[in-house]
Amino acid sequence: MRAADGWKDYELLDATGGNRLERWAKTILVRPDPQVIWKSPRQSHLWTKADAVYHRSSAGGGKWQYFRTLPQKWTIQYEDLTLIVSPTGFKHTGVFPEQAVNWSWYKKVIGETGRPIKVLNLFGYTGGATLACAAAGASVCHVDASKGMVQWGKENAAASGLADRPIRWIVDDCAKFVAREIRRGSRYDALIMDPPSYGRGPGGEVWKLEDQIYDLIDLCAQVLTDNPLFFAVNSYTTGLSPSVMEYMVRTRLCPVHGGHTACDEIGLPVSATGGVVPCGATAFWLADGVDV
């Protein structure tokens, strides 16, 4: 497992009983996490000092309970990126901190390649991966179906001093956008996708990652250049193992581009116990000479 242990402004203080105790700069939040199934005793005294707790509703969704007035938004720093944090009605904060381990990897690989790199970031959310790639010198196309998330990404770019970098911000259905890019002859040297586990389309159609992932990988493989650098697929679906994702990437990309594949879990170190909470998985196709 690769742990996102490079944070200073974020810390997973403790985790037990279905909840995370987290520090976001100077703010302490408690949020539910379905992976935290253990019920060991709480180790941190800061559970009683939380500024806000997110309570799930049995009817779906949930709401925040605030113990002090918090700003609507504030910023945290990761390496040279500045990211805006804001608690949302769906428990999220605008940042998936475990993905920082991938952000650092994207920056390293792009920075070392020695040639211009064009990146397509699908389901780009608020832009952490987009900004990491742009900071390393890549041109990036950021695609997300949510107008609000794309706007949040633009604000993160401005906060990080990257507003003038070559980033295209696109509000669109990711699969439909890729299909159009293929028809237009647009090609990318690297592709990142972070699809949701479950969702509904504008017409009420159900999206389940297990049912869609292979077709999505197959489609996206067609938008790569003849000399691609990497292809990364993230998943938060507990029933979709890293090895399954790697197998799909291997069988689709290696026969065409050579190279090799890798996969692993990513997670967050817990300060109180020294353990690591798993937070998803990433499967990679990698060009020869590139390693995770």
Side-chain angles (χ1 to χ4, degrees):
M1 182 186 293
R2 292 180 300 138
D5 56 7
W7 283 100
K8 294 186 174 71
D9 281 356
Y10 172 86
E11 185 179 5
L12 181 50
L13 299 162
D14 200 2
T16 189
N19 287 297
R20 296 185 192 180
L21 177 70
E22 302 170 296
R23 178 180 63 82
W24 299 84
K26 296 180 180 179
T27 300
I28 307 297
L29 302 179
V30 175
R31 297 190 298 156
D33 186 333
Q35 292 280 73
V36 182
I37 62 173
W38 51 90
K39 300 177 182 179
S40 52
R42 293 178 172 182
Q43 300 296 314
S44 174
H45 69 282
L46 293 174
W47 287 99
T48 60
K49 305 292 185 180
D51 298 305
V53 176
Y54 187 87
H55 299 286
R56 283 197 182 279
S57 168
S58 58
K63 63 179 182 179
W64 289 95
Q65 178 184 10
Y66 292 95
F67 299 105
R68 73 175 178 92
T69 302
L70 296 180
Q72 184 179 6
K73 59 179 69 173
W74 64 95
T75 61
I76 59 174
Q77 195 83 14
Y78 181 77
E79 296 180 347
D80 55 351
L81 304 181
T82 300
L83 303 168
I84 297 166
V85 176
S86 181
T88 71
F90 299 99
K91 89 167 182 175
H92 298 302
T93 63
V95 180
F96 286 97
E98 66 276 2
Q99 283 295 330
V101 71
N102 282 332
W103 303 340
S104 295
W105 183 84
Y106 302 146
K107 288 174 65 177
K108 176 179 180 292
V109 171
I110 291 169
E112 291 177 350
T113 194
R115 61 183 173 97
I117 296 296
K118 189 178 177 183
V119 178
L120 177 59
N121 184 19
L122 300 174
F123 310 94
Y125 195 50
T126 59
T130 291
L131 301 185
C133 294
S139 60
V140 188
C141 181
H142 174 110
V143 187
D144 197 282
S146 168
K147 183 178 180 180
M149 292 300 107
V150 171
Q151 179 59 36
W152 199 330
K154 290 180 181 179
E155 293 172 6
N156 281 335
S160 298
L162 298 170
D164 61 344
R165 297 298 175 98
I167 304 173
R168 293 172 64 202
W169 300 97
I170 306 293
V171 179
D172 203 349
D173 176 272
C174 289
K176 292 178 180 177
F177 176 81
V178 171
R180 287 198 299 275
E181 288 288 86
I182 293 168
R183 292 194 296 269
R184 287 188 286 246
S186 299
R187 296 295 182 264
Y188 296 86
D189 304 294
L191 189 143
I192 301 163
M193 69 167 81
D194 202 347
S197 296
Y198 178 86
R200 288 189 179 273
E205 60 273 20
V206 174
W207 160 279
K208 289 184 67 176
L209 184 59
E210 300 97 315
D211 298 336
Q212 306 288 339
I213 186 62
Y214 182 80
D215 289 342
L216 186 60
I217 290 172
D218 182 61
L219 178 70
C220 291
Q222 300 173 55
V223 83
L224 293 176
T225 60
D226 292 335
N227 186 28
L229 182 63
F230 68 84
F231 187 107
V233 185
N234 293 301
S235 170
Y236 300 93
T237 304
T238 54
L240 193 59
S241 75
S243 297
V244 168
M245 292 196 302
E246 182 187 8
Y247 190 93
M248 290 186 283
V249 171
R250 178 190 298 274
T251 56
R252 181 58 181 85
L253 293 177
C254 287
V256 178
H257 298 290
H260 59 288
T261 59
C263 67
D264 56 19
E265 288 187 289
I266 58 175
L268 291 167
V270 183
S271 299
T273 65
V276 179
V277 171
C279 300
T282 308
F284 297 92
W285 174 88
L286 306 160
D288 289 331
V290 177
D291 293 300
V292 179

